[in-house]
Amino acid sequence: MEIVMVHGYFLRGTGSNLFVANTCRELCKLGHQVKLFCQEEKPQLFDFIESAWEFDRDNHNITAVFQQATPYPGKCQLYRPNLNGFLPVYVFDYYPGYVVKTYLDCTPAEIEAYIEDNRRALDAVVDPGRTALVLSNHTIMQPVYVARSRLSDCRHVMTVHGSCLNFSVRHSLLLKDYAQEALANAEWVVFVSHYSRQEFLAFFNNDPCLYAKSLVISGGVDLKNFVSLNDSGEKQTEIDGMLASLAASPLITGQPIAATALWQTDADVVSKLARIDFADEKIILYYGKYLWTKGIQLLIAAAPLVLMKNHRLRIILVGFGSSRDYFETLVKVLDQGDLAAFITLIRKPETVDATISADTTVYFDALLNKLNDPDFASAYQAAATGAIREAIVFTGYLGHQHLKSLIACCEITVAPSIFPEAFGLVAVEALASGIIPVLTNHSGFAEMISIYCQVFGDIFDRGEAEGAFRPPALNGELVFDLAGSLNYLLNYYAGLSNSARQEVRNRARKICADHYTWEAVAQRYLLCSNSDVDLGQNWISPEGERDGTKYNQ
């Protein structure tokens, strides 16, 4: 069948981008024809894209800009609407070649122009008579311009991702009106977690009509794109292969990294990673965006507390985003032992990054109070001074072809987000690599935590593991809770035999093999095209399919 996938952004880096790319690939594997509307400018990076087309200024005519043979029976054509250099977003970041504004900062005229550019692009190339299913992403504005296009009478499934509601729609009556326009046209509204569904329904006053057409389909993972070690002794070999590949990669530009650059890899990333002894050092890995909402500042503040108990420690930060300057400044002043400057940066983050909300200082309350104790302050300062800059390694962006090796060879991945997360995609990817992630215990992350708490209940001391796997929800103790979780797991792993450590890896990966594959995701969406199938309210994601025995291993 012919499927139209509408996604207003790119195919790399963020959860929704990866969701769209992987779902399109699986649809092509299953033999379907996909018309993909997005802004991705490097189609050659994606093996499922057969051709790419760009629109003229008026979004009436298209020009072929790329073509390749693909290995799948279904084919994907990528269409890139001409936005005339303007890109509205939910969370601000820098995108070279675009004037970027958050939706809250856009004028009504700018929003309407953006919708119209995309609507014209859709209408120029789609054929409603041939389109069996339309898949749109986010709450605004992609499903809005679907509703205003020739596709308005087609079977339309709208997928709600994480940031749109909480950063945009929740704060504007105008944007809420657009969301309601989108919801009225969609036949099904899909959420990536039960938390996301409940939060969304509550915001729209538990509208019975919305409730009746809401479904949960969790994201997935391609197990072939992630590796899990068969033995801890394989770490250095895996890393050596990754470094050799990375050294030859076109990602390495040889130019100094710009903190605001999009999807740029640090020019010296190979030498940075080559200095790490993956066999003997304890590795904690963060990967995602360099944004304050992701809580990286909490991880940096927790680092001296972890260094106090783990001297051979590395915290690798992989990503891109506009808050990198702030994070590097925090590391710099800690390494210099300048606690006064560190405290000022925590209390007044806007001095470096104007986008950071002053309200988030509350998560540092316990640490700031403890730093009033001279003995604690001295120990904290001593652990950081001259050590933390070496311990914390920024790499810039890494694609999954390289990132997969880092995940498999670390001890822990960490995602300390302080804003709601619709779904724990980073957690699923870590589990696919045999690694248990440490997540802040809220929103969509909490659903993932509940699963692996059950799976590993007989390996870890249940009481202690509950505390380690579930750092309490957001509060002033968060820095200490995060450090406690990391210290517990690092210490626990250090005492495990190689066979016991391998059992952890095997169980982690099995969670994904059993419940989180992109093929299953694609198949669930395809069911939405069948009018004879009663999906009903019992059609839910793996997290909800617990019958009391399913997760007993």
Side-chain angles (χ1 to χ4, degrees), residues 23 57 142-143 201 323 408 470 549:
T23 302
R57 184 176 181 83
Q142 291 80 349
L201 290 174
S323 295
R470 298 181 187 271
T549 60

Side-chain angles (χ1 to χ4, degrees), residues 188 212 215 527 530-539:
W188 294 105
L215 306 170
L527 284 176
N530 189 344
S531 59
D532 296 327
V533 175
D534 181 12
L535 301 180
Q537 290 307 309
N538 293 321
W539 193 59

Side-chain angles (χ1 to χ4, degrees), residues 213-430:
K213 62 181 180 181
S214 65
L215 306 170
V216 176
I217 304 177
S218 297
V221 64
D222 188 340
L223 290 173
K224 295 190 294 297
N225 288 339
F226 294 88
V227 297
S228 179
L229 301 182
N230 295 312
D231 187 281
S232 294
E234 297 176 349
K235 285 185 178 181
Q236 198 58 54
T237 300
E238 180 69 30
I239 292 298
D240 287 345
M242 183 268 290
L243 290 176
S245 172
L246 192 55
S249 170
L251 290 171
I252 308 302
T253 64
Q255 301 298 318
I257 186 70
T260 58
L262 182 66
W263 297 315
Q264 292 295 311
T265 305
D266 289 17
D268 58 349
V269 65
V270 174
S271 61
K272 285 179 179 177
L273 295 176
R275 292 198 297 269
I276 300 173
D277 186 341
F278 283 83
D280 291 328
E281 293 186 63
K282 297 177 179 179
I283 312 297
I284 296 171
L285 175 67
Y286 166 88
Y287 60 98
K289 294 194 79 174
Y290 291 150
L291 295 177
W292 61 275
T293 56
K294 299 298 184 182
I296 301 173
Q297 64 273 28
L298 297 167
L299 178 58
I300 292 169
L305 303 174
V306 183
L307 280 165
M308 289 178 189
K309 297 185 177 182
N310 298 274
H311 300 297
R312 290 181 59 75
L313 175 75
R314 300 280 186 158
I315 299 174
I316 303 174
L317 305 178
V318 178
F320 65 95
S322 59
S323 295
R324 177 170 176 164
D325 277 347
Y326 178 66
F327 301 145
E328 291 193 314
T329 304
L330 282 175
V331 172
K332 178 182 177 181
V333 298
L334 277 176
D335 194 75
Q336 293 171 344
D338 192 343
L339 287 185
F342 175 68
I343 291 170
T344 298
L345 286 168
I346 288 175
R347 293 193 184 280
K348 297 181 178 180
E350 68 276 6
T351 59
V352 175
D353 187 340
T355 69
I356 300 179
S357 170
D359 294 343
T360 59
T361 300
V362 67
Y363 305 131
F364 294 95
D365 280 353
L367 176 63
L368 292 173
N369 289 335
K370 193 70 173 173
L371 286 172
N372 290 323
D373 178 343
D375 291 337
F376 174 83
S378 178
Y380 186 87
Q381 181 183 45
T385 303
I388 196 169
R389 207 167 189 177
E390 183 68 16
I392 296 181
V393 179
F394 291 84
T395 69
Y397 171 79
L398 291 176
H400 279 90
Q401 73 273 29
H402 300 119
L403 181 60
K404 66 180 183 181
S405 297
L406 286 180
I407 301 174
C409 294
C410 72
E411 295 301 317
I412 305 168
T413 66
V414 58
S417 295
I418 57 175
F419 267 58
E421 295 284 350
F423 175 65
L425 182 60
V426 292
V428 174
E429 292 174 344

Side-chain angles (χ1 to χ4, degrees), residues 298 301-306 477-488:
L298 297 167
L305 303 174
V306 183
E477 299 281 344
L478 196 50
V479 172
F480 286 105
D481 292 333
L482 181 58
S485 294
L486 297 173
N487 280 327
Y488 169 80

Side-chain angles (χ1 to χ4, degrees), residues 57-93:
R57 184 176 181 83
D58 294 324
N59 286 294
H60 287 150
N61 301 303
I62 54 174
T63 301
V65 295
F66 172 77
Q67 192 161 2
Q68 68 177 357
T70 65
Y72 308 121
K75 305 304 176 185
C76 175
Q77 289 82 42
L78 183 152
Y79 296 94
R80 192 168 178 231
N82 190 331
L83 304 183
N84 294 297
F86 180 72
L87 186 67
V89 298
Y90 317 113
V91 181
F92 182 80
D93 207 344

